[in-house]
Amino acid sequence: MNYGRLNADLIEELQSLLNIPVKYDEESLDRYSRDETAELKAVRPEVVTFPVSTQEVSEIMKFANRHLIPVTPRGAGTGLSGGAVPSYRGIVMSFEKMNRILEFDEANMMITVEPGVITGEIQKLADRHNLVYGGDPCSSESSSIGGNVAENAGGNKVMKYGPTGYHVYGLEVVLPSGEITYFGGKRLKDVSGLDFVHLMVGSEGTLGIVTKITLRLLPKPKYSVALLVPYPDIDTAIAAVPGLMSGSGVVPTSLEFMDGSSIRAACSFLNIEFPYADAGAHLIIEVEGNSKDSIFDDYVKLGEAAIEAGGLEAFVADNRNTRDKLWKARKSIAEALAAISPVHSMEDVSVPMANIPKLIKRSEEIAKKRGLEMIAFGHAGDGNVHVTFIKGDLPQEDWDRNLPLAEKELFDETTELGGCISGEHGIGIKRKKYLASIVDEAQLDLIRGIKKAFDRNNILNPGKIVDL
Ligand SMILES: Cc1cc2nc3c(=O)[nH]c(=O)nc-3n(C[C@H](O)[C@H](O)[C@H](O)COP(=O)(O)OP(=O)(O)OC[C@H]3O[C@@H](n4cnc5c(N)ncnc54)[C@H](O)[C@@H]3O)c2cc1C
């Protein structure tokens, strides 16, 4: 594709459409040239725009079509697959100034927001009204709801509430042509036409630009209790997971695991103590309920099942303070890793829950064979594991050669176990070359066809998910 380039005249024309000054100084271009994906080459845009309204977004897209300039939407840049990193320079469209809560509709238990709102703000607002927003990525304090919708972000409460897409009911979308449309609404049922809402969710900013989002809220359970269960080794912890629910008859809100290295990295990063910090692995199991008796019953059953499966103890965090401390450690692992072992590759494979033990075993074998260090943590209850390869002391050229081999082997094993290569972080640039190994040619053709139907000129986030 021969894209146009932004000369001074075009930048002036673009600026005339917008309220906030565009940026193209070296420092800004550098800042918007990457996200949080380690091991990904930064690519500078030619200009960064900060639209403040749907109309401005639409004007930018019409401008981009007139001059064939690629546009990369950007939320908070916390992505882990390179979705907000431009593949072909052009315009980065940042949503940091479109960050208003537009409507809090308590009667319908719906909230409508602009895409740049930080997810944690939605959670806190809902909480103040005794409601809950069920989306909860570990990055909730730093990622934007627009980015969560575009990635169908998962996180810690998927077992009970499902990923982001389960909460999205209405979307205002600027199509790549610049036309403005609205998919869905506040109604809970809608089979009038195709389900465009859920085609947009998880489309990684390649089909349209989300400018308003209507989310469903749910009644907030009165009580939550978290259990922390250390295990002697990761195999025992992981093997315990599939039986926990069937053994206890309880579906927890969260069921997370962290291997020993992950927890030690988080503790050293946060400078905190953790019970059984030298254990091989920990599970965090959280339950919610509306009566003290029923929640007590639930966590006792889960705790007993966890210990029966080899747990060393079950610590009960039944007040906000201790629960927050526990979650802080879990949520800091990715950040700790970036600080302590900056050269790493965090994967996001997802398998049917009962296959997690095999997945971890095979990942360890792959890491050993390729001379890489490895840690693993993630959302055990939904089968989503962040197998993370670390360079450690390996010479750079060995890392460069062995990492792609290890990734390919990991993805092949995952596929054999009935899994997929990304459970929540998306394909983006990082996993594009591996998509064909899990999706057949007929599906790849469909993806390309849908992209072409939405974006004739291939100007919206080109170079992501598939190449045309
Ligand atoms: C420490 C840490 C922990 C994390 N934990 C989790 C986790 O538990 N679960 C999880 O799922 N992810 C997690 N992530 C990954 C990341 O936070 C999510 O993918 C998040 O949804 C990205 O949101 P963002 O606002 O930063 O989007 P960005 O990174 O800016 O963009 C992500 C994608 O969304 C597109 N996009 C952004 N805004 C729009 C819009 N308005 N319209 C259309 N497309 C748009 C971009 O083009 C890009 O393709 C974590 C990341 C970090 C750094």
Side-chain angles (χ1 to χ4, degrees), residues 446-457:
L446 275 175
I447 296 175
R448 291 188 197 105
I450 291 169
K451 170 69 175 162
K452 281 182 197 156
F454 273 79
D455 185 9
R456 224 182 20 218
N457 289 327

Side-chain angles (χ1 to χ4, degrees), residues 35-36 72-85 93 95 115-116 136-140 142-156 200 203-206 208-211 213 330-335 379 384 386 423-425 461 464:
D35 62 6
E36 293 291 332
T72 308
R74 182 181 176 96
T78 68
L80 293 171
S81 53
V85 179
M93 189 189 287
F95 285 100
D136 187 33
C138 287
S139 56
S140 59
S142 52
S143 63
S144 73
I145 190 68
N148 289 183
V149 171
E151 297 290 355
N152 195 12
N156 308 311
M200 294 304 301
S203 62
E204 304 189 24
T206 62
I209 300 174
V210 172
T211 44
I213 303 159
R330 163 65 188 91
K331 291 185 173 191
S332 300
I333 296 175
E335 233 181 313
H379 315 291
N384 186 197
H386 299 316
E424 56 180 22
H425 296 165
N461 219 354
K464 309 294 162 63

Side-chain angles (χ1 to χ4, degrees), residues 56-367:
E56 286 195 356
V57 173
S58 165
E59 291 300 332
I60 296 171
M61 291 317 297
K62 287 179 187 162
F63 167 90
N65 270 290
R66 278 197 299 279
H67 303 290
L68 276 188
I69 309 286
V71 176
T72 308
R74 182 181 176 96
T78 68
L80 293 171
S81 53
V85 179
S87 292
Y88 301 96
R89 306 204 62 207
I91 301 170
V92 158
M93 189 189 287
S94 168
F95 285 100
E96 60 206 85
K97 304 293 181 195
M98 282 180 74
N99 59 357
R100 291 174 303 158
I101 307 261
L102 298 172
E103 186 193 29
F104 187 84
D105 180 353
E106 205 159 354
N108 283 310
M109 298 209 291
M110 294 271 175
I111 185 169
T112 300
V113 298
E114 288 185 322
V117 173
I118 297 298
T119 307
E121 280 181 39
I122 301 171
Q123 293 173 324
K124 283 175 207 141
L125 180 64
D127 190 72
R128 286 201 291 277
H129 289 78
N130 250 338
L131 294 168
V132 64
Y133 167 60
D136 187 33
C138 287
S139 56
S140 59
E141 290 304 320
S142 52
S143 63
S144 73
I145 190 68
N148 289 183
V149 171
E151 297 290 355
N152 195 12
N156 308 311
K157 293 185 177 169
V158 167
M159 292 193 71
K160 178 170 177 186
Y161 296 104
T164 301
Y166 278 42
H167 316 290
V168 182
Y169 280 75
L171 291 176
E172 181 186 77
V173 171
V174 175
L175 296 170
S177 60
E179 285 165 281
I180 301 167
T181 187
Y182 202 96
F183 299 133
K186 289 183 188 172
R187 45 201 180 261
L188 296 189
K189 292 167 80 176
D190 184 344
V191 290
S192 319
L194 296 185
D195 185 357
F196 282 115
V197 171
H198 293 102
L199 182 58
M200 294 304 301
V201 170
S203 62
E204 304 189 24
T206 62
L207 301 181
I209 300 174
V210 172
T211 44
K212 286 190 185 104
I213 303 159
T214 297
L215 301 162
R216 188 186 186 194
L217 305 172
L218 293 165
K220 186 173 105 179
K222 280 205 180 97
Y223 305 101
S224 346
V225 172
L227 298 178
L228 177 73
V229 187
Y231 284 84
D233 51 68
I234 187 153
D235 292 350
T236 314
I238 287 297
V241 170
L244 276 182
M245 278 180 283
S246 50
S248 65
V250 180
V251 178
T253 306
S254 311
L255 209 177
E256 300 284 302
F257 87 101
M258 313 168 276
D259 71 5
S261 308
S262 313
I263 200 66
R264 283 186 284 281
C267 288
S268 129
F269 178 68
L270 296 170
N271 201 13
I272 55 165
E273 304 273 326
F274 214 68
Y276 282 86
D278 54 351
H282 286 78
L283 294 182
I284 298 179
I285 311 165
E286 185 156 302
V287 278
E288 293 176 326
N290 281 324
S291 91
K292 278 190 176 162
D293 286 348
S294 75
I295 201 168
F296 177 80
D297 209 40
D298 284 354
Y299 79 70
V300 167
K301 279 185 192 147
L302 278 165
E304 283 172 358
I307 287 179
E308 210 165 290
L312 300 169
E313 197 152 340
F315 295 93
V316 180
D318 55 3
N319 63 61
R320 189 160 206 148
N321 193 21
T322 45
R323 262 199 346 272
D324 285 354
K325 276 191 191 152
L326 214 60
W327 279 112
K328 188 156 193 210
R330 163 65 188 91
K331 291 185 173 191
S332 300
I333 296 175
E335 233 181 313
L337 197 63
I340 297 166
S341 309
V343 186
H344 66 262
S345 182
M346 187 191 297
E347 293 312 331
D348 177 42
V349 289
S350 182
V351 292
M353 186 180 55
N355 286 344
I356 301 183
K358 280 187 197 148
L359 176 74
I360 298 280
K361 193 149 210 55
R362 292 187 193 171
S363 309
E364 285 168 346
E365 286 162 8
I366 293 168

